[in-house]
Amino acid sequence: MIYDHIPDFLYNLILNDQLPKELRKKYFDFKSHQISDKKFCEDLLKQLKLSYNNCNYYQEKLCKKFDYTLPEDLTIGNLEKIPYIPSNDYKKSVSRNLELLKASLDEIVLFSCSSSTTGITSIIPRTLEDFDQIQYNAVKTYSEFFNWKEIKPEPYKRAIIFNFSPDRFFLSIMTKKNSKGFEYVDKTRYFSSCINKPFEYYAHVEYMIKINLLVSIRTFLSTLSVRGGFVMDVSKMLKIIKKVLKTGKWEKRGVNKILFNGNPALMNYMFENRLLRENIFFDLDEISYVGCSGGGWDGVKGEVKLDAVNKTRFIENYEKIFNIRSKNIRDIYSLAEVPTIFGGHWSEKYQDFLFHCPDTTRIIVRDLDKLEPVNEGEEGLLEVITPYGVNGSINQALLVDDIVEIISKKKCPECGYQGAVFRIIGRLENAQGKCCSSLINWSY
């Protein structure tokens, strides 16, 4: 009773695109452009002026709290003085989303919704230009860390991507559930739906989390939840891999690469509860790689609530089961409140993923005491600063609840990537029982 037996033409007719037609832009000819410190600061100052002039909350609350006056010029050296907003201010429960607008509602084409790792959804208003930037950021990260060019379709070949997530249609249903009560719920979509979209232009995407229609209807009628109706279709994945290894094809078309993508907690569940128990192994060396997608290592992401994942064992399992080495296993760090997507690689030294700051963004790590910037090798709260993709709201400088260690402020000591490098240590609320809003004593 799983819906994937529906013919493609009917499936597409029913599910459509789940994004406004203005956002259906293809990125086959992606070209990265370099952003200098000077250009970054000039563009950031424009966003600060827009925030000040168009958002009363920014002018009357933030700037006054920080005793901040807009400068004539902005430099990298004084970014730490810019007023920042805590990510919790975008939580639906705070009901402040529309106060944080710096564009008119007519310019907001869609609201991004977080996957609510903590159980409280964030909702962020975004313009068409913001979404173009988000998809640029996604493809830039996929190009630099997920071997994007290698999965580009060839005349008779394409990649297969096993995405450990529901498809974007069912993500839109869950968005409505998590955003219930928000007045623009019909214009709200998961942030992950938008950054997953570019893959669908390049490859055959097999969404691993599918829905059993009868179970879902029964569960929904009894609990008003669709959670019980989801299944992970590992059997189809194994069938596809066997066919590709035997014939080099799937659905009469050649396969050039296989990518495992999505929630690491779901991948880990597959390892521990089926593949390892049944001694299922494949040799996918040189034709496959892994791209984890933004969180889930603690076992909690959206509707998913599983055991925490031991990262070292996770890496070992991919090599043991699929012969995919750590150099071909990547991760991203992203959050709905900002448009930036940080790509990361595995570090043998740290036994962790190191995340890299792209040139569209600068970061500051602030200590938990006075929120002053820390030095390399020290831990603190992450602040994300970007002037790109923030035309709809005042999220150009945002303080996150995540505690990170700043590895380098200049470039990665292991791969040489230019820009700041950090790794995730944990969440503030887990460490201290509070969020960054309460740490700042945000009282208005």
Side-chain angles (χ1 to χ4, degrees), residues 260-289:
F260 297 89
N261 178 242
N263 189 326
L266 291 171
M267 297 180 189
N268 189 63
Y269 184 85
M270 173 186 68
F271 292 152
E272 302 292 345
N273 290 277
R274 178 154 184 192
L275 302 189
L276 288 172
R277 289 185 180 184
E278 297 180 12
N279 292 316
I280 296 173
F281 306 106
F282 295 99
D283 186 358
L284 301 181
D285 186 33
E286 301 302 325
I287 67 167
S288 190
Y289 54 97

Side-chain angles (χ1 to χ4, degrees), residues 90-93 95 97 110-116 119-125 170-191 193 302-303 336:
Y90 283 97
K91 299 297 184 185
K92 185 182 69 170
S93 57
S95 301
N97 317 78
L110 211 64
F111 292 83
S112 291
C113 171
S114 70
S115 54
S116 60
I120 307 174
T121 300
S122 293
I123 299 176
I124 302 88
F170 285 104
L171 285 176
S172 72
I173 293 176
M174 287 189 282
T175 300
K176 288 181 181 293
K177 171 180 172 287
N178 288 336
S179 305
K180 186 178 179 181
F182 179 57
E183 56 190 298
Y184 297 101
V185 63
D186 289 337
K187 291 181 66 175
T188 304
R189 293 289 183 274
Y190 270 152
F191 181 71
S193 295
E303 298 288 329

Side-chain angles (χ1 to χ4, degrees), residues 411-422:
K411 71 175 183 179
C412 180
E414 298 188 2
C415 75
Y417 190 99
Q418 295 295 316
V421 183
F422 63 95

Side-chain angles (χ1 to χ4, degrees), residues 212-237:
N212 184 306
L213 293 176
L214 288 180
V215 173
S216 292
I217 292 171
R218 193 161 54 240
T219 303
F220 182 77
L221 290 176
S222 61
T223 67
L224 297 182
S225 170
V226 296
R227 197 174 157 196
F230 286 112
V231 296
M232 191 189 310
D233 197 358
V234 177
S235 295
K236 185 173 182 182
M237 182 198 79

Side-chain angles (χ1 to χ4, degrees), residues 104-118:
S104 69
L105 273 171
D106 291 340
E107 296 176 84
I108 303 302
V109 296
L110 211 64
F111 292 83
S112 291
C113 171
S114 70
S115 54
S116 60
T117 300
T118 62

Side-chain angles (χ1 to χ4, degrees), residues 6 14 30 72 74 80 87 190 211 321 388 409 426 432:
I6 299 174
I14 295 171
F30 165 78
E72 291 295 324
L74 193 63
E80 64 187 69
S87 57
Y190 270 152
I211 197 159
I321 295 169
Y388 307 110
K409 295 184 178 183
Q432 299 198 173

